Amino acid sequence: PASSTQVVGKDLASCSQTVIILRLTQVTIQMIRFRCYVALLAYTAEGFSSYPTLQPYAARTKLQNAPLFVDETTKINEQVSEYYGKTLETSDDLKTNACCTAGAPPNYIQEAINNIDETVRAKYYGCGLCLPQYDMKGLNVLDLGCGAGRDVYIASQLVGSTGKVVGIDMTKEQLEVAKGSKEYHAEKFGYSNVDFYEGFLEKLDEIPELKSQSFDLIISNCVINLCQDKEAVLRHCLELLKPGGELYFSDVYASRRVPQELRDNEVMWGECLSGALYWNDFENLARKVGFPDPRLVEDAPITVNSADVQRTMDETGAQGLEFYSATYRLWNMQEHLEPHCEDYGQAVIYKGSLPRYPSGWLLDKHHYFEAGRIKPVCGNTYNMLHESLLNDHFEFVGNFDTHYGIFDGCGTSIPYDSVSDSSSDGKNGSTKGGCC
């Protein structure tokens, strides 16, 4: 009937519309899938890192072999390695002077630098001269965070053919430069006395070539602040030093504790700023580990040359935060040093016998010894000279029989010079207090 035909016609039309809607829905789903694929591909460097079954076999294997958990130390080490291995091409790329040595080195150091390969010199990122000013001939020296090896090759010339210098770094690109120039320097110096090993400063105990109490001197140039676990680094140093040996190193310190927001900034960390310890936290940490009396040798304020870095600091409310490059010496003399400078009525006389220093010699910022002149010292200073390789260069007056109290002038205020008074040569000490 006509009425039935109309009904069937309506039903067919309705079915056609349903089919069209279903097909449009399928097309929409496909488009959504395609857009998701494009978004995921753009978001991840290796494609579907979130879907291992869709990756090539090699990529799946890489993902499966990755560590399940990545700790903060590993993350920071990777960021630092990337910054110094790939981001920075030369020292000209640095955004602050935190990793640049202030002032010209002594003539004998400059002569040693002139003997070093140009590529090695261009990759230098140190913040101070981290070589003690005494005769290093025949010493075993360890350089922590040696980078491209500049300081290793300087020390190589100072210890001579009877000494040994070992460099440790975690950045492969830097070590390739250091190792690649070994033959050049062996020919230049007339001997080969250096080795380089890859490793983390927080895990020096995992480097089999490093033996307990095997080093007379450990040096480090603006590197320990880049480490997350600084306590572990200092403990390893104490273990590796011979009795009477010292950790002599330059690094970056802050006038107050660095805010967490700055500590999380990769560029600020790579520039040696965010990882800087508050100076008093560092000195307390050194004492806790087993270096009872940290001695400041020299320091200089750090300037920020990048407007972006300065803006980052300002936006976190850290306008008053100041940074300093400083050189410290920490002696392995736990049995001979006290937590504070005590007075026993002692004195020493410098003989003027250290090579290149006939008229006077600087132990630290508060102790410059003129040749032939009697200088009163605290018990700790007395032992630093008496129980180390410096013994032969001094005459010693007094003993430990009578105690006269705290040594006059032992203070606890910030020991660094500001920009206005940083021109001091350090011979007369700081007016801001500090030890002895």
Side-chain angles (χ1 to χ4, degrees):
S3 60
S4 298
T5 302
Q6 291 173 353
V7 171
V8 170
K10 288 180 180 179
D11 288 340
L12 287 173
S14 178
C15 287
S16 298
Q17 291 174 358
T18 301
V19 169
I20 291 171
I21 292 171
L22 286 173
R23 286 180 176 174
L24 287 172
T25 302
Q26 290 175 337
V27 170
T28 302
I29 291 172
Q30 292 295 330
M31 289 178 67
I32 291 172
R33 285 178 177 172
F34 177 76
R35 288 182 179 180
C36 288
Y37 171 80
V38 171
L40 283 170
L41 193 62
Y43 183 73
T44 60
E46 297 177 343
F48 287 97
S49 62
S50 301
Y51 300 93
T53 55
L54 299 180
Q55 291 182 319
Y57 173 76
R60 292 203 308 273
T61 303
K62 180 179 178 181
L63 186 66
Q64 291 163 0
N65 291 338
L68 184 60
F69 299 104
V70 179
D71 62 26
E72 191 66 20
T73 298
T74 301
K75 177 184 175 183
I76 289 174
N77 285 340
E78 289 175 351
Q79 291 171 353
V80 171
S81 184
E82 175 79 12
Y83 193 73
Y84 281 88
K86 296 175 182 177
T87 303
L88 298 181
E89 293 293 333
T90 69
S91 56
D92 293 336
D93 297 326
L94 293 165
K95 301 180 188 301
T96 73
N97 69 339
C99 297
C100 297
T101 303
N107 290 337
Y108 74 99
I109 295 293
Q110 188 58 58
E111 290 172 5
I113 293 173
N114 293 340
N115 291 331
I116 296 174
D117 180 76
E118 287 185 13
T119 305
V120 172
R121 280 185 281 166
K123 290 281 188 179
Y124 167 67
Y125 305 119
C127 63
L129 179 62
C130 66
L131 295 166
Q133 297 174 344
Y134 51 65
D135 188 5
M136 292 173 55
K137 253 187 190 24
L139 298 188
N140 286 341
V141 180
L142 175 64
D143 184 4
L144 301 181
C146 65
R150 193 202 78 151
D151 288 348
V152 168
Y153 288 118
I154 294 176
S156 169
Q157 299 171 72
L158 299 180
V159 302
S161 58
T162 59
K164 180 78 174 177
V165 187
V166 176
I168 305 295
D169 206 276
M170 68 176 181
T171 307
K172 291 181 180 179
E173 292 85 353
Q174 292 276 67
L175 283 177
E176 286 173 1
V177 175
K179 292 178 180 179
S181 63
K182 282 182 69 173
E183 187 175 338
Y184 169 89
H185 292 103
E187 183 177 345
K188 187 80 172 178
F189 304 159
Y191 53 83
S192 179
N193 62 352
V194 303
D195 281 314
F196 296 95
Y197 302 107
E198 184 178 346
F200 298 109
L201 305 194
E202 299 94 334
K203 299 178 180 179
L204 292 174
D205 56 331
E206 296 181 3
I207 302 175
E209 292 81 4
L210 304 183
K211 307 299 182 184
S212 176
Q213 296 190 1
S214 60
F215 293 98
D216 303 284
L217 171 67
I218 298 178
I219 60 176
S220 184
N221 206 329
C222 202
V223 174
I224 294 178
N225 70 84
L226 296 172
C227 299
Q228 180 74 0
D229 190 351
K230 297 172 178 62
E231 181 175 342
V233 179
L234 294 180
R235 287 191 185 281
H236 291 316
C237 289
L238 188 65
E239 174 66 24
L240 292 170
L241 281 170
K242 296 178 182 179
E246 68 168 322
L247 168 60
Y248 189 98
F249 69 111
S250 298
D251 221 320
V252 176
Y253 301 94
S255 60
R256 59 185 70 172
R257 292 175 184 135
V258 179
Q260 188 61 45
E261 189 172 346
L262 291 181
R263 292 177 59 80
D264 293 336
N265 186 291
E266 292 183 23
V267 173
M268 292 283 288
W269 197 285
E271 288 286 328
C272 304
L273 298 180
S274 291
L277 280 176
Y278 164 50
W279 68 271
N280 206 26
D281 285 345
F282 159 71
E283 294 194 359
N284 288 330
L285 179 62
R287 295 185 180 100
K288 173 186 175 184
V289 166
F291 295 107
D293 189 359
R295 291 297 179 93
L296 174 64
V297 180
E298 62 178 351
D299 61 89
I302 288 172
T303 58
V304 177
N305 304 323
S306 167
D308 291 337
V309 171
Q310 186 62 57
R311 189 180 305 111
T312 299
M313 292 176 60
D314 294 344
E315 289 174 353
T316 59
Q319 294 94 333
L321 181 62
E322 297 176 341
F323 294 96
Y324 303 86
S325 63
T327 299
Y328 276 92
R329 64 193 328 155
L330 309 180
W331 296 94
N332 181 16
M333 296 182 182
Q334 297 180 68
E335 297 179 1
H336 301 285
L337 300 182
E338 300 182 80
H340 299 284
C341 297
E342 305 293 343
D343 188 354
Y344 295 92
Q346 298 158 313
V348 298
I349 305 171
Y350 174 52
K351 298 177 182 179
S353 54
L354 281 166
R356 297 179 292 270
Y357 300 98
S359 60
W361 184 77
L362 184 75
L363 172 68
D364 56 50
K365 191 172 179 178
H366 301 277
H367 295 87
Y368 178 77
F369 301 96
E370 290 185 71
R373 185 174 183 178
I374 297 177
K375 184 176 180 67
V377 294
C378 68
N380 282 355
T381 299
Y382 184 97
N383 274 332
M384 287 176 187
L385 302 173
H386 191 272
E387 302 299 325
S388 69
L389 52 77
L390 295 164
N391 181 288
D392 292 338
H393 303 284
F394 286 84
E395 294 179 23
F396 298 88
V397 179
N399 51 42
F400 288 86
D401 290 348
T402 305
H403 179 235
Y404 297 97
I406 199 75
F407 196 92
D408 186 37
C410 189
T412 56
S413 60
I414 185 169
Y416 309 137
D417 290 334
S418 64
V419 175
S420 60
D421 56 13
S422 62
S423 59
S424 170
D425 59 8
K427 292 181 180 180
N428 297 317
S430 170
T431 58
K432 295 186 176 181
C435 199
C436 299

